[in-house]
Amino acid sequence: MRSVRVISSGSELISGRKTDTNSSVISRELYATDFRVRDHVTVSDNPGDLERTIREALDKYDTVIMTGGLGPTEDDRTVVTAAEIFQTGIVTDKGALESLRRFLVSVGREPDVEGNRMADVPAGSYVLKNDAGMAPGFLIERSGKIFAAMPGVPHEMEAMLKRRLIPYLEEKYGLKRRKALELRLCGLTEREIDNKIVAMKSVSDDIIWGITAESGVCTLSFLSQKGSDIDSESIYDEASANFGIDMLLRESESPQMEAVNLLRRHGLQLSVAESCTGGLISSRITDIPGASAVFNGGAVTYSNASKIEVLGVPAGTVESYGAVSSETAEAMAVRARSVFGADIALSVTGIAGPGGGTQDKPVGTVWFGFHAGGKAETFQRLFSGSRDRVRERSAVTAVDYLRRYLRRL
């Protein structure tokens, strides 16, 4: 088992102007391997800080994976610093230089000496080709230690990690991928999930498991800490029995994926009417490949007038009960199903804030409508948190309600 430190470099990360996403991607890709990430470190572009951080990491860990500092500007010092630490010269990678020049010509720019720095790597290093950008990465091996550097641009880093670095580690070091299991659940708190997992007989002491919560969906991960594969089938079967409909089907990576798959399986069409979510529900559904076969359309009817004029919600309903009400949510769903000629319709209307709340209808009040099989249903939720959180939770709740309905058919 090799220990790994991930270093993210860039003064923009230290200042908070940008958020580091590279570390989490690297950790996720190495999670089920025998390259075990021990910690993440973020460092500025200051030459002294950069050198000290790399040296400390090499002293403590077998493998150091670094992102950032491979660009053409003066504060991009990863190549120079690595060359100083490992006492090598700096050379220009011909393949990267040619790619750089072709790109510049294609956008009508002339190659320049300063820009050519992006093709530099420490002498004697293994070059990691950049399939998604211009600056190559590199890997240096000394005395059993591995130092790998990749670009800080997230999509470039991820492509290089998956296509270049990990395949190299697999071939050179026999990096082993263990079989892991991930399950996704909706509608339960982390505490409720934890209590059920502890009681599961299939989860033995040699299994590492964890819960990650994001946007109303919890991901359960299971991995053997002995370097062997886990009994995925036994864990899945017991978890399915314990969690029931709260657990997504195995092939589903999200509630919206499950909903689209089930709509297709049952041969049903969906339509959506949204107010406070501003199209988030429709966006989630249409993010899934193949959604065009089951999604007839959606309407963002944000104002009272659009609810009346676009959907055909009776003006008296909105005037008598308000835009945020059971009656308006029901009418929105009924009309959306009719307007788009769908089998099922979802609607949502609420107060996302920060203003607009009243004593009877505080900020976070959201009404949902559902119309299918000639029957209309409504329900209310009160969400706490920011405007974005209220909108996000509303979208997740609506899609999860649809998913559960389809599972019960």
Side-chain angles (χ1 to χ4, degrees):
M1 189 77 69
R2 294 190 68 94
S3 59
V4 181
R5 168 171 283 179
V6 178
I7 300 175
S8 300
S9 70
S11 295
E12 70 277 10
L13 303 178
I14 292 292
S15 67
R17 288 178 288 130
K18 285 189 177 180
T19 301
D20 170 37
T21 59
N22 288 335
S23 295
S24 60
V25 172
I26 293 169
S27 291
R28 184 184 68 224
E29 292 300 316
L30 294 179
Y31 175 67
T33 74
D34 49 1
F35 277 65
R36 183 65 56 82
V37 176
R38 296 300 184 186
D39 56 23
H40 299 164
V41 172
T42 305
V43 63
S44 73
D45 295 314
N46 177 275
D49 292 341
L50 202 61
E51 181 176 354
R52 171 184 52 79
T53 301
I54 295 174
R55 288 188 182 277
E56 287 178 353
L58 289 168
D59 285 341
K60 190 173 182 180
Y61 298 93
D62 302 317
T63 304
V64 179
I65 299 177
M66 182 171 172
T67 65
L70 299 180
T73 62
E74 284 300 317
D75 61 354
D76 291 311
R77 297 190 55 84
T78 298
V79 172
V80 173
T81 304
E84 291 174 352
I85 291 173
F86 291 100
Q87 298 182 351
T88 72
I90 295 175
V91 298
T92 300
D93 181 69
K94 293 180 180 180
L97 182 61
E98 183 59 30
S99 295
L100 174 61
R101 288 177 173 170
R102 282 199 304 268
F103 171 78
L104 292 174
V105 169
S106 73
V107 295
R109 294 173 57 189
E110 290 294 328
D112 61 85
V113 175
E114 290 302 316
N116 288 350
R117 292 180 58 223
M118 293 181 70
D120 288 348
V121 294
S125 62
Y126 177 82
V127 177
L128 300 168
K129 184 180 178 182
N130 191 336
D131 298 302
M134 291 176 287
F138 61 88
L139 183 146
I140 299 174
E141 300 162 273
R142 293 286 191 281
S143 304
K145 302 279 187 174
I146 301 172
F147 176 78
M150 295 183 290
V153 180
H155 77 274
E156 293 184 26
M157 188 288 301
E158 187 166 0
M160 186 177 293
L161 175 71
K162 293 179 178 179
R163 300 177 193 174
R164 303 295 172 179
L165 180 57
I166 288 182
Y168 178 86
L169 296 177
E170 286 177 335
E171 181 178 350
K172 183 71 180 290
Y173 293 91
L175 177 147
K176 297 177 182 178
R177 293 178 182 270
R178 287 170 287 160
K179 188 176 180 181
L181 175 66
E182 285 193 347
L183 306 175
R184 291 172 179 83
L185 302 106
C186 289
L188 295 175
T189 66
E190 291 181 66
R191 182 62 179 172
E192 290 171 329
I193 296 170
D194 184 87
N195 288 338
K196 289 192 175 185
I197 297 173
V198 170
M200 286 176 58
K201 296 179 180 179
S202 58
V203 181
S204 58
D205 292 338
D206 70 311
I207 293 177
I208 303 170
W209 59 271
I211 307 171
T212 304
E214 184 176 5
S215 301
V217 179
C218 288
T219 299
L220 278 175
S221 60
F222 301 90
L223 183 71
S224 171
Q225 58 184 335
K226 290 185 176 180
S228 57
D229 289 341
I230 60 173
D231 185 352
S232 296
E233 294 303 319
S234 294
I235 295 176
Y236 180 85
D237 289 344
E238 188 175 4
S240 182
N242 282 358
F243 292 110
I245 203 170
D246 292 325
M247 190 174 89
L248 302 190
L249 297 173
R250 175 173 282 177
E251 67 273 15
S252 303
E253 296 180 3
S254 65
Q256 52 267 28
M257 179 180 284
E258 180 163 300
V260 168
N261 289 341
L262 290 171
L263 284 166
R264 187 184 297 113
R265 183 182 303 173
H266 293 301
L268 298 172
Q269 304 290 311
L270 172 71
S271 62
V272 175
E274 302 182 61
S275 184
C276 64
T277 48
L280 287 177
I281 299 171
S282 297
S283 176
R284 275 169 168 69
I285 295 296
T286 55
D287 279 343
I288 306 302
S292 59
V294 298
F295 185 65
N296 280 16
V300 179
T301 52
Y302 210 69
S303 67
N304 288 353
S306 64
K307 291 177 177 65
I308 296 166
E309 295 169 9
V310 175
L311 289 177
V313 172
T317 299
V318 178
E319 292 168 3
S320 298
Y321 301 102
V324 181
S325 64
S326 171
E327 291 79 6
T328 297
E330 179 178 331
M332 288 172 66
V334 170
R335 292 303 305 155
R337 183 182 175 193
S338 174
V339 167
F340 292 104
D343 302 295
I344 300 172
L346 283 170
S347 69
V348 60
T349 179
I351 306 169
T358 66
Q359 185 173 355
D360 292 335
K361 297 178 183 179
V363 170
T365 300
V366 181
W367 276 97
F368 299 86
F370 185 80
H371 191 218
K375 181 181 179 182
E377 300 175 5
T378 63
F379 61 97
Q380 182 191 42
R381 294 288 185 270
L382 180 60
F383 299 115
S384 60
S386 67
R387 178 181 179 83
D388 286 344
R389 179 173 171 79
V390 171
R391 284 157 46 86
E392 177 82 15
R393 293 302 302 274
S394 297
V396 172
T397 299
V399 174
D400 188 46
Y401 188 89
L402 170 65
R403 175 190 74 83
R404 290 169 184 271
Y405 169 83
L406 294 168
R407 283 275 291 271
R408 294 188 180 101
L409 289 181

